[in-house]
C-alpha cells in the first residue's frame, strides 16, 4: 500500500471538488488574501459556521481570517480599518453570552494556526503561549512539571487561552484560585490601528513609566488615559465594583492600577483581560502557573431542600475546600432519565432535592478521611444534610464531576421549544447571601410563571440559573428581558455582579449602565474610545453607543423563525422530529475536543469548523430554516462539503452533550438527495458491498489476482473514486457460512446453556472468516449451541451508511420478520462485527416501529457483549496467558455503551488489557477508501496510531473490520478480541 503524508486541509479539499463558492464581500476578501499568509474565507457557508457560538445569539460576519502570526493580525486589522469593517477575535466559540458573534465582522480565528506553547519557565512558574492554545492541551503539557493554569472553565477541553483571557474565565475551583486576571502577567496586543504593544507590570512614576509616557505615541497616550480615568473615578470604583472572587462585567478599572508594598503599579494586561476583544487583540500571553495537587477527594452532601443546601455554603468555605459546587433535583431527575448520565445519578438518593459537593486537595489536607469526617460531623450529624457520598478514587470522583458537568447538556436536551436558556445564569452574590438571593430569585420566576434549574459554583456565590422559556415566541422573548431587568435589580441589592463567569457579550452589555452608574459608564466609553477610536473592535460588547444594545436583538431563534420538517424514512419522534434534532445543537463546541472520547474524528483530523458536529448542524439548520436556498440540502456542494466528511461514527450520539446524532441526520439527508437527484455509481457500489463481496468470493482466487493487476487501481479510482493507495479487500475461497455448514454445530441444543443465531457480517463471511470461526469456538467452549441462519438478508449497514434508507429498511424488515419467532423462542442474535450488531440494536429501531423490532433489537449482541452479559466465560477453563493487549473499541459500540464488554472478557481470559481512550480509526467502512477522503482518513488514523504507540501493551486488538483494515497500512492486521480469547482457549 502506498501512503500520502499530507496534512488534510479543508480549502484543499474544497478545491479538489472543483467548488468555487461565491464570496459575500469580494473586494475586502481580495485585499485580505493578497496581504496575509493565512486562509481567508468570505463565502456563505463560512458566514453561517461563524454566525453562532455557545449562546442564544446569531449574527452573520463578513468572513473569517485564519492568521498564521502577529503580522497577519496586524495586516488584517489595517485592511479592516481601510474598509471600515469591524474586527472580532475568536477561539473555540464556546462563549455563552454572545461575545464571539458580530454582524459584518472580520472574525480572526486563532484556533487554527496560532496555537503554540512558546516557552515554559518552571522556576518562575510561567508559560508563554499563543492565543489559540486549548487550555487542556496547555495543562497536559504542564503536567510533566506538576504545574497547571489555575482557571478551569468547564469548556477547557476546547476553549482557548485567548478566549479565556477575553472573557476573564474561571471555573469550579475559583474558591481556591480565583479568575484569569490574577494569572495573566503580560500580553502582546495588537491595537485598533495595527500597532503592537507589550503590557506588563510597571511602577507608576518609575523609570520605565517615564520612558513610556514621555513618548508621543499610542502606547504613551493609553497609559496616560488609563491613569487619569482611574484617578478621576477612584471613589466610584471603590463603591460600585463588587468585592467578589468572581466579577467579570465591565472593564477592570478596579484592577489595572494597584498598590503593593507602598508603591503604585499599573498593568494594562489586567485591563485587556475580560475586555472581550473590544480594546485590542491579544496575540500572545505570559501566564502565571500554580502547582498541581497530587490527590483530591470529594464529599457530596444530600439535602431535602435547595435553600438548606445554599444556607450551608458559607460554612463549607470554612473547611478549606478547593471547590464547592451545587446541583438541584432537576439535574438529578434529568440525569436519571438520560441514557448517557443515568449511571452517574444512580448513587444519589431519590429524595435528594439538592446536593452540595466539596472537593479537598492534598496541598491543603494531609488526610482526606479526617477532613471529610470533620465536614460530615458539621453538615450531617449537626446540620441539615441527611446523607453523604464520599469519593476517594479517581474513578469515583470522575463520576460525580461528570454528573455535575452534565447539568447544562441535560437541561438543553429538554424536549420541545421551551428551553432553559443562558442569559442571567452566572449572576453572582456574596456566598453568605446566596440562600436569600435564591429565595428572592424564585419569587421573580414565580411572577413570570416559569421555573429554572439551579447548579454550579455555590462557593463563589455563582449559580447557573436558567429560566425555561420559549424564545421562538414573542412573549417568551419579552419575558426573558423582563426577568433580566428584575434580576439585575436583585443583584444590585446584594452588591453582586451580573456576570461572575461568562462575561457581558450581547446578553448583558445592555445592563452595564445600570450596574455601574452613569459616571463609570462614561469612563468605560472614554476608555473604549481611547483604545479603539472608531469603535470597530467587537462592537456592541461591554460598552455601546446610544441605545444600540438590546439583549433581544440578534437571537438565533425568534418569532420569525420557522423550519422545514422533512418527510423522513427514519423515526425521529424520540428527538421531537428531524428539525428538533438539528436544533438540539446549542453551539457549546464539545465536538471540538481532541483529547478524549470519540467525537468528532473529522475535526481531529482536519481542525476545521466545517468538520465539527456543530458546523454541520448549523448548516443543516440554515438549510431547513430558509437561511440557505430551499434546495441547498440536495446540492453537490452541500453533500460534499457538509456531509461527506462525517464518518458516521455515531460518536456525537453519545459525546454531544445534547445528543445531536449527525450520523442519523446524514443518512436521512443523503436519502433525500438520492430520491431527488439520483445516486452516483460510487454510492451504489459501496451500498452493495454484500453483493460485490459475494461475487468476489465466488470468483476467488481469480478476483484477488485481478485487484493486483497493473492499472486496476487507476481504473478503480476513475470509475468508483477509490483511492489507489488502498489495497482492496481480499476474498476467501471458502466463506464463513460454507465453513460452518461443513463443520456443523458441536454443542447439541438440548444440553446447551444458551442458543445463538450467529450472523456473519459481509467482511467476516467473504473476506476474513477467522474472527467468526474464533467466536464459534469460544461460544461452544462455553456450552452454547450455535446456528448460522442461511435465510437472512445483509443487515443493511452499508446501504444505511450510503443513504439508501428504503433498501436498509427493506433488509431490516426481512431480517426482523425471520428472526422474531426464533428470538421469542429463546434464541439470541450474535454478531462478531460491532457495526452490524449496532445496526440491529439501534438503527433498526429508527427504520421500523413495531414490537417485533424491539424484540429482536433487545436480544441482539456482539459476541463479547453476549459472553460478558451472561458471564459465559466463567465456565471456560483458560490456559496461562502472558500477553498485554491495547484494546481499541469500536465507535458504534461506544455510542450505545457496549464497547467495554470485550475488556472484561479478555481480562478474565488472562490478558492484561489497556483500554485506549481512542477515537475513530478513520476508516469507517467506505469512508477511508474514497480518493477525496483518503488524506483525512489517514490523518485520523495517525492519531489512533500515536495512542497505540504510547501504550505499553504488546499487541493491539480491535473488533471492527474497518479498524483492522486501517491498521494494515502499518504492515500488520490486529486480531479481533475474540480471536485472542480463542487463542487463550487453545492453551487450556
Amino acid at each position: 500500500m502506498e501512503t500520502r503524508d499530507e496534512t488534510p486541509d479543508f480549502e484543499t479539499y474544497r478545491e479538489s471538488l472543483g467548488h468555487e463558492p461565491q464570496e459575500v464581500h469580494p473586494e475586502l476578501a481580495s485585499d485580505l488574501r493578497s496581504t496575509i499568509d493565512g486562509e481567508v474565507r468570505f463565502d456563505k457557508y463560512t458566514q453561517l459556521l461563524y454566525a453562532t457560538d455557545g449562546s442564544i445569539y446569531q449574527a452573520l460576519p463578513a468572513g473569517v481570517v485564519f492568521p498564521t502570526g502577529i503580522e497577519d493580525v496586524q495586516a488584517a486589522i489595517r485592511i479592516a480599518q481601510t474598509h471600515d469593517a469591524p474586527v472580532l477575535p475568536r477561539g473555540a466559540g464556546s462563549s455563552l453570552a454572545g461575545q464571539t458573534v458580530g454582524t459584518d465582522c472580520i472574525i480572526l480565528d486563532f484556533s487554527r494556526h496560532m496555537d503554540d506553547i512558546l516557552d515554559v519557565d518552571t522556576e518562575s512558574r510561567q508559560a508563554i503561549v499563543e492565543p489559540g492554545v486549548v487550555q487542556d492541551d496547555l495543562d497536559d503539557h504542564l503536567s510533566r512539571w506538576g504545574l497547571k493554569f489555575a482557571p478551569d472553565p468547564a469548556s477547557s477541553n476546547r476553549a482557548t487561552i485567548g478566549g479565556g483571557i477575553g472573557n476573564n474565565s474561571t471555573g469550579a475551583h475559583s474558591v481556591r484560585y480565583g479568575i484569569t486576571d490574577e494569572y495573566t502577567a503580560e500580553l502582546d496586543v495588537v491595537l485598533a490601528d495595527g500597532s503592537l504593544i507589550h503590557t506588563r507590570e510597571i511602577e507608576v512614576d518609575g523609570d520605565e513609566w517615564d520612558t513610556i509616557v514621555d513618548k508621543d505615541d499610542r502606547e504613551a497616550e493609553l497609559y496616560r488615559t488609563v491613569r487619569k480615568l482611574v484617578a478621576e473615578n477612584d471613589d466610584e470604583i471603590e463603591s460600585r465594583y463588587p468585592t467578589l472572587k468572581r466579577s467579570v462585567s465591565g472593564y477592570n478599572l478596579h484592577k489595572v492600577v494597584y498598590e503593593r508594598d507602598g508603591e503604585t503599579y499599573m498593568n494594562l494586561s489586567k485591563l485587556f483581560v475580560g475586555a472581550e476583544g473590544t480594546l485590542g487583540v491579544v496575540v500572545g500571553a505570559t501566564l502565571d502557573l500554580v502547582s498541581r495537587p497530587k490527590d483530591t477527594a470529594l464529599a457530596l452532601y444530600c439535602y431535602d431542600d435547595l435553600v438548606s443546601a445554599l444556607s450551608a455554603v458559607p460554612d463549607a468555605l470554612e473547611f478549606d475546600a478547593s471547590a464547592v459546587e451545587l446541583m438541584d433535583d432537576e439535574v438529578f431527575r434529568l440525569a436519571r432519565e438520560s441514557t448517557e448520565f443515568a449511571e452517574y445519578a444512580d448513587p444519589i438518593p431519590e429524595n435528594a432535592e439538592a446536593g452540595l459537593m466539596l472537593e479537598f486537595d492534598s496541598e491543603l489536607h494531609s488526610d482526606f478521611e479526617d477532613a471529610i469526617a470533620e465536614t460530615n460531623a458539621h453538615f450531617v450529624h449537626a446540620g441539615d444534610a441527611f446523607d453523604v457520598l464520599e469519593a476517594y478514587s479517581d474513578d469515583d470522583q470522575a463520576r460525580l464531576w461528570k454528573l455535575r458537568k452534565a447539568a447544562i447538556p441535560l437541561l438543553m436536551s429538554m424536549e420541545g421549544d421551551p428551553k432553559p436558556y443562558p442569559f442571567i445564569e452566572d449572576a453572582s452574590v456574596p456566598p453568605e447571601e446566596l440562600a436569600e438571593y435564591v429565595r428572592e430569585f424564585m419569587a421573580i420566576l414565580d411572577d413570570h410563571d416559569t421555573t429554572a434549574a439551579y447548579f454550579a459554583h455555590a462557593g463563589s456565590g455563582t449559580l447557573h440559573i436558567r429560566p425555561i422559556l420559549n424564545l421562538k415566541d414573542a412573549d417568551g422573548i419579552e419575558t426573558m428581558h423582563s426577568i433580566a431587568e428584575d434580576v439585575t435589580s436583585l443583584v444590585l441589592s446584594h452588591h453582586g455582579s451580573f456576570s461572575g463567569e461568562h462575561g457581558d457579550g450581547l446578553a448583558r452589555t445592555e445592563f452595564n449602565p445600570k450596574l455601574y452608574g452613569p459616571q463609570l459608564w462614561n469612563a468605560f466609553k472614554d476608555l473604549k474610545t481611547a483604545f479603539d477610536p472608531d469603535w470597530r473592535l467587537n462592537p456592541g460588547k461591554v460598552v455601546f453607543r446610544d441605545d444600540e444594545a438590546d439583549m433581544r436583538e440578534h437571537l438565533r431563534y425568534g418569532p420569525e423563525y420557522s423550519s422545514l420538517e422533512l418527510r423522513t424514512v427514519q423515526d425521529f419522534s424520540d428527538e421531537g422530529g428531524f428539525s428538533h434534532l438539528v436544533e438540539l445543537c446549542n453551539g457549546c463546541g464539545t465536538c471540538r475536543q481532541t483529547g478524549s472520547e470519540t467525537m468528532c474524528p473529522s475535526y481531529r483530523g482536519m481542525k476545521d469548523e466545517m468538520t465539527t458536529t456543530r458546523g454541520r448542524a448549523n448548516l443543516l439548520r440554515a438549510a431547513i430554516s430558509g437561511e440557505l436556498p430551499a434546495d441547498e440540502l440536495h446540492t453537490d456542494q452541500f453533500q460534499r462539503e457538509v456531509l461527506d466528511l462525517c464518518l458516521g461514527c455515531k460518536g456525537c450520539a453519545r459525546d454531544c452533550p445534547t445528543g445531536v446524532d449527525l450520523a442519523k441526520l446524514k443518512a436521512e439527508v443523503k436519502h433525500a438527495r438520492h430520491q431527488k437527484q439520483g445516486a452516483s455509481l460510487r454510492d451504489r457500489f459501496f451500498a452493495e458491498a454484500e453483493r460485490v463481496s459475494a461475487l468476489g468470493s465466488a470468483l476467488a482466487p481469480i478476483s484477488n489476482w485481478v485487484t493486483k493487476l497493473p492499472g486496476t487501481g487507476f481504473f478503480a479510482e476513475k470509475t468508483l473514486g477509490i483511492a489507489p493507495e488502498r489495497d482492496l479487500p481480499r476474498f476467501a475461497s471458502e466463506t464463513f457460512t460454507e465453513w460452518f455448514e461443513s463443520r456443523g454445530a458441536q454443542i447439541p441444543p438440548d444440553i446447551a446453556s444458551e442458543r445463538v443465531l450467529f450472523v456473519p457480517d459481509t467482511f467476516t463471511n467473504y473476506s476474513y472468516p477467522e474472527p467468526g470461526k474464533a467466536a464459534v469456538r469460544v461460544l461452544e467452549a462455553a456450552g452454547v449451541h450455535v446456528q448460522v441462519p442461511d435465510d437472512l438478508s445483509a443487515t443493511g449497514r452499508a446501504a444505511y451508511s450510503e443513504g439508501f434508507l428504503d433498501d436498509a429498511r427493506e433488509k431490516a424488515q426481512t431480517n426482523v420478520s425471520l428472526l422474531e419467532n426464533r428470538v421469542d423462542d429463546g434464541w439470541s442474535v450474535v454478531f462478531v462485527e460491532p457495526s452490524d450488531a449496532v445496526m440491529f440494536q439501534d438503527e433498526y429501531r429508527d427504520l421500523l416501529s413495531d414490537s417485533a423490532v424491539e424484540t429482536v433489537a433487545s436480544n441482539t449482541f456482539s459476541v463479547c457483549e453476549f459472553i460478558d452479559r451472561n458471564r459465559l466465560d466463567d465456565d471456560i477453563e483458560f490456559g496461562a496467558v502472558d500477553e498485554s493487549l491495547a484494546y481499541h473499541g469500536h465507535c458504534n459500540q461506544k455510542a450505545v455503551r457496549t464497547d467495554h464488554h470485550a475488556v472484561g472478557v479478555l481480562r478474565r481470559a488472562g490478558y492484561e488489557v489497556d483500554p485506549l481512550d481512542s477515537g475513530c480509526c478513520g476508516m469507517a467502512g467506505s469512508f477511508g477508501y474514497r480518493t477525496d477522503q483518503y488524506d483525512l482518513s489517514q490523518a485520523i488514523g495517525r492519531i489512533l496510531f500515536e495512542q497505540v504507540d504510547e501504550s505499553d501493551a504488546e499487541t493491539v486488538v480491535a473488533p471492527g473490520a474497518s479498524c483492522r483494515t486501517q491498521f494494515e497500512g502499518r504492515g500488520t492486521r490486529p486480531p479481533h478480541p475474540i480471536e485472542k480469547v480463542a487463542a487463550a482457549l487453545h492453551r487450556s
Side-chain angles (χ1 to χ4, degrees):
M1 177 191 298
E2 302 174 24
T3 60
R4 304 178 203 163
D5 188 20
E6 298 178 10
T7 300
D9 172 81
F10 182 77
E11 282 295 287
T12 303
Y13 171 74
R14 174 181 268 178
E15 290 170 6
S16 73
L17 302 177
H19 296 167
E20 294 184 8
Q22 183 176 358
E23 292 187 329
V24 183
H25 300 274
E27 188 175 332
L28 174 57
S30 177
D31 286 353
L32 287 164
R33 192 172 286 113
S34 65
T35 307
I36 71 169
D37 292 330
E39 302 100 311
V40 176
R41 293 192 209 162
F42 274 64
D43 60 281
K44 185 67 172 180
Y45 281 11
T46 300
Q47 283 186 311
L48 290 165
L49 288 174
Y50 286 83
T52 59
D53 52 13
S55 71
I56 60 178
Y57 294 99
Q58 175 168 312
L60 282 180
V64 181
V65 171
F66 303 90
T68 59
I70 294 173
E71 293 80 6
D72 274 358
V73 177
Q74 291 177 291
I77 288 177
R78 287 174 179 142
I79 291 170
Q81 187 176 34
T82 301
H83 287 265
D84 194 26
V87 175
L88 195 167
R90 173 165 162 146
S94 57
S95 307
L96 289 172
Q99 290 95 325
T100 58
V101 297
T103 302
D104 293 331
C105 287
I106 298 172
I107 288 181
L108 304 177
D109 184 343
F110 290 101
S111 67
R112 173 74 62 77
H113 303 298
M114 296 183 67
D115 60 350
D116 286 341
I117 301 168
L118 302 176
D119 185 48
V120 175
D121 186 332
T122 57
E123 290 189 12
S124 65
R125 290 190 174 184
Q126 287 189 326
I128 302 175
V129 303
E130 292 183 312
V133 174
V134 172
Q135 175 156 346
D136 276 5
D137 293 343
L138 173 62
D139 284 339
D140 288 345
H141 183 77
L142 295 172
S143 63
R144 69 190 72 179
W145 299 291
L147 299 172
K148 68 175 182 176
F149 184 56
D152 59 339
S155 56
S156 62
N157 62 0
R158 69 269 190 198
T160 64
I161 293 296
I165 290 171
N167 190 64
N168 204 357
S169 294
T170 183
H173 294 87
S174 60
V175 295
R176 169 95 149 89
Y177 297 111
I179 60 180
T180 295
D181 60 44
E182 298 176 46
Y183 300 92
T184 305
E186 302 178 15
L187 293 175
D188 293 313
V189 182
V190 177
L191 299 175
D193 62 352
S195 61
L196 177 70
I197 64 170
H198 178 76
T199 64
R200 66 278 189 198
E201 182 179 84
I202 296 174
E203 182 181 347
V204 175
D205 294 329
D207 291 342
E208 188 174 10
W209 171 270
D210 291 340
T211 300
I212 292 174
V213 299
D214 286 346
K215 294 179 180 178
D216 185 20
D217 60 12
R218 292 274 292 125
E219 185 177 23
E221 179 188 351
L222 295 178
Y223 275 94
R224 290 192 294 263
T225 299
V226 171
R227 184 179 186 182
K228 179 182 178 183
L229 284 173
V230 171
E232 290 177 347
N233 295 279
D234 186 58
D235 291 341
E236 281 290 285
I237 290 172
E238 180 69 25
S239 64
R240 284 281 186 174
Y241 278 89
T243 55
L244 300 171
K245 282 183 175 290
R246 293 164 166 260
S247 177
V248 299
S249 283
Y251 291 126
N252 282 341
L253 288 178
H254 61 316
K255 294 184 177 181
V256 66
V257 178
Y258 48 91
E259 303 285 335
R260 189 178 67 246
D261 299 329
E263 301 294 340
T264 302
Y265 296 89
M266 179 187 292
N267 190 340
L268 289 184
S269 305
K270 309 302 180 183
L271 200 56
F272 287 107
V273 177
E276 302 181 6
T278 63
L279 301 180
V281 178
V282 174
V283 292
T286 299
L287 308 174
D288 291 329
L289 310 174
V290 298
S291 58
R292 181 189 301 264
K294 292 183 178 180
D295 298 297
T296 57
L298 291 176
L300 178 67
Y301 294 96
C302 302
Y303 292 83
D304 56 16
D305 73 89
L306 175 65
V307 173
S308 294
L310 293 170
S311 298
V313 170
D315 288 350
L317 297 174
E318 299 297 321
F319 289 94
D320 286 332
S322 51
V324 180
E325 298 287 293
L326 180 107
M327 294 172 275
D328 76 348
D329 62 322
E330 185 70 3
V331 174
F332 297 151
R333 180 186 68 79
L334 290 170
R336 291 188 183 101
E337 295 173 358
S338 161
T339 55
E340 181 178 357
F341 298 108
E343 61 180 294
Y344 307 129
D346 280 345
I348 308 298
E350 288 285 343
N351 58 332
E353 294 291 314
L356 194 64
M357 188 167 75
L358 278 64
E359 182 190 79
F360 304 91
D361 71 53
S362 54
E363 291 188 344
L364 298 178
H365 299 274
S366 58
D367 190 316
F368 290 142
E369 291 188 1
D370 281 353
I372 292 177
E374 186 179 3
T375 53
N376 288 349
H378 184 86
F379 293 114
V380 180
H381 306 308
D384 294 328
F386 66 85
D387 199 0
V388 60
L389 304 178
E390 300 177 13
Y392 299 97
S393 72
D394 290 343
D395 287 345
D396 287 344
Q397 291 181 71
R399 292 167 70 87
L400 289 179
W401 275 117
K402 284 182 178 180
L403 178 62
R404 157 60 192 88
K405 292 184 178 183
I408 291 177
L410 285 168
L411 290 165
M412 291 308 295
S413 61
M414 290 175 65
E415 294 183 5
D417 289 333
K419 301 284 186 190
Y421 285 111
F423 60 96
I424 50 161
E425 59 148 11
D426 63 327
S428 301
V429 299
E432 61 272 16
E433 300 179 35
L434 199 54
E436 181 58 31
Y437 167 75
V438 167
R439 287 192 191 96
E440 295 168 324
F441 200 112
M442 289 176 172
I444 291 174
L445 296 180
D446 286 343
D447 289 344
H448 290 88
D449 195 26
T450 189
T451 58
Y454 300 80
F455 61 97
H457 317 301
S460 300
T462 303
L463 284 187
H464 291 337
I465 307 175
R466 294 190 169 194
I468 298 172
L469 299 169
N470 181 3
L471 296 188
K472 293 181 180 179
D473 178 79
D475 290 340
I477 294 170
E478 292 307 313
T479 299
M480 174 184 71
H481 191 259
S482 180
I483 291 173
E485 286 277 14
D486 290 347
V487 171
T488 52
S489 298
L490 177 61
V491 169
L492 275 173
S493 71
H494 287 274
H495 200 55
S497 170
F498 196 31
S499 178
E501 183 171 13
H502 297 148
D504 294 326
L506 294 171
R508 288 180 273 274
T509 293
E510 174 187 352
F511 301 99
N512 276 342
K514 176 179 177 180
L515 290 167
Y516 288 101
Q519 183 175 329
L520 280 182
W521 178 244
N522 286 326
F524 286 175
K525 292 196 289 184
D526 290 343
L527 186 74
K528 169 71 171 175
T529 300
F531 279 82
D532 181 18
D534 298 322
W535 285 52
R536 289 185 304 98
L537 297 179
N538 203 3
K541 320 302 182 346
V542 186
V543 291
F544 58 90
R545 287 170 165 165
D546 303 322
D547 297 322
E548 66 183 22
D550 188 330
M551 70 175 299
R552 293 165 290 190
E553 299 294 327
H554 307 295
L555 293 173
R556 188 185 309 188
Y557 302 108
E560 298 81 20
Y561 179 87
S562 64
S563 61
L564 171 70
E565 188 60 46
L566 270 64
R567 294 182 61 184
T568 62
V569 174
Q570 299 175 91
D571 182 5
F572 285 86
S573 57
D574 285 348
E575 296 91 350
F578 178 94
S579 62
H580 189 261
L581 179 55
V582 173
E583 292 166 8
L584 276 178
C585 176
N586 61 15
C588 66
T590 306
C591 41
R592 292 174 63 102
Q593 66 180 344
T594 59
S596 63
E597 300 182 321
T598 304
M599 183 181 73
C600 177
S602 50
Y603 176 74
R604 295 183 186 195
M606 195 171 274
K607 298 292 180 65
D608 194 283
E609 181 70 18
M610 181 72 87
T611 59
T612 63
T613 303
R614 175 174 72 179
R616 296 184 182 106
N618 271 330
L619 288 168
L620 279 170
R621 180 170 51 81
I624 64 175
S625 65
E627 293 177 83
L628 288 171
D631 284 341
E632 189 73 20
L633 278 178
H634 308 305
T635 64
D636 182 64
Q637 182 182 357
F638 194 93
Q639 295 288 324
R640 303 296 297 279
E641 292 188 14
V642 181
L643 296 181
D644 277 2
L645 295 185
C646 167
L647 286 82
C649 70
K650 295 175 67 71
C652 50
R654 186 192 76 168
D655 296 345
C656 171
T658 54
V660 179
D661 187 345
L662 221 295
K664 183 176 180 179
L665 292 167
K666 173 187 175 181
E668 197 67 54
V669 176
K670 283 182 71 70
H671 170 80
R673 152 92 170 191
H674 294 331
Q675 297 295 106
K676 189 173 182 68
Q677 307 281 4
S680 68
L681 175 62
R682 180 171 73 171
D683 288 343
R684 291 187 181 280
F685 174 81
F686 285 120
E688 295 290 350
E690 176 83 6
R691 292 183 183 179
V692 173
S693 296
L695 178 62
S697 180
L699 297 176
I702 297 174
S703 54
N704 295 325
W705 298 339
V706 169
T707 62
K708 299 300 181 184
L709 291 174
T712 302
F714 177 81
F715 177 78
E717 181 181 22
K718 294 305 178 184
T719 57
L720 299 172
I722 295 176
E725 296 89 347
R726 289 290 185 192
D727 291 334
L728 296 174
R730 295 184 60 80
F731 299 107
S733 298
E734 181 187 50
T735 67
F736 170 83
T737 53
E738 290 169 346
W739 169 83
F740 187 85
E741 184 178 346
S742 64
R743 173 185 180 275
Q746 304 294 300
I747 303 296
D750 55 335
I751 65 167
S753 59
E754 298 280 351
R755 291 178 296 164
V756 158
L757 296 168
F758 185 84
V759 184
D761 60 278
T762 298
F763 194 81
T764 300
N765 197 27
Y766 297 112
S767 292
Y768 195 70
E770 282 74 12
K773 296 176 183 179
V776 170
R777 288 194 290 268
V778 173
L779 288 168
E780 290 182 340
V784 176
H785 174 66
V786 179
Q787 283 295 331
V788 177
D790 57 6
D791 52 355
L792 294 185
S793 173
T795 64
R797 166 57 72 190
Y800 181 91
S801 298
E802 299 300 330
F804 294 93
L805 296 187
D806 288 337
D807 186 21
R809 183 169 59 180
E810 182 180 339
K811 287 177 168 62
Q813 188 63 69
T814 298
N815 291 334
V816 168
S817 298
L818 290 170
L819 291 171
E820 180 187 12
N821 290 337
R822 283 182 266 187
V823 171
D824 278 338
D825 195 35
W827 290 79
S828 297
V829 181
V830 172
F831 288 87
V832 74
E833 170 58 36
S835 63
D836 286 87
V838 173
M839 184 72 186
F840 266 56
Q841 294 168 330
D842 190 34
E843 281 86 358
Y844 273 21
R845 287 182 163 110
D846 292 328
L847 292 167
L848 306 172
S849 57
D850 54 20
S851 60
V853 71
E854 287 298 323
T855 299
V856 173
S858 299
N859 290 279
T860 294
F861 311 91
S862 63
V863 62
C864 288
E865 177 189 4
F866 181 73
I867 293 169
D868 189 46
R869 286 185 184 275
N870 296 290
R871 293 301 292 259
L872 298 176
D873 49 337
D874 287 349
D875 298 326
I876 299 176
E877 184 177 345
F878 293 105
V881 173
D882 184 20
E883 186 176 6
S884 58
L885 306 175
Y887 171 70
H888 166 60
H890 194 279
C891 299
N892 288 177
Q893 286 187 311
K894 291 177 182 178
V896 297
R897 302 183 182 282
T898 60
D899 61 301
H900 63 282
H901 292 291
V903 175
V905 174
L906 287 167
R907 284 174 174 167
R908 291 194 295 275
Y911 295 98
E912 180 183 337
V913 184
D914 175 17
L916 302 175
D917 184 14
S918 52
C920 180
C921 69
M923 196 68 193
S926 67
F927 184 93
Y929 280 106
R930 299 176 183 240
T931 298
D932 50 8
Q933 294 163 186
Y934 175 80
D935 287 337
L936 178 56
S937 171
Q938 288 291 93
I940 298 168
R942 285 194 290 270
I943 297 170
L944 169 61
F945 300 156
E946 289 171 5
Q947 291 176 297
V948 171
D949 292 341
E950 289 171 1
S951 173
D952 294 328
E954 302 165 66
T955 307
V956 61
V957 294
S962 290
C963 306
R964 301 196 300 277
T965 299
Q966 182 76 301
F967 272 98
E968 277 190 336
R970 307 183 92 199
T972 181
R973 169 179 285 276
H976 190 291
I978 200 66
E979 292 182 84
K980 281 298 181 183
V981 179
L985 178 71
H986 286 311
R987 296 191 182 103
S988 62

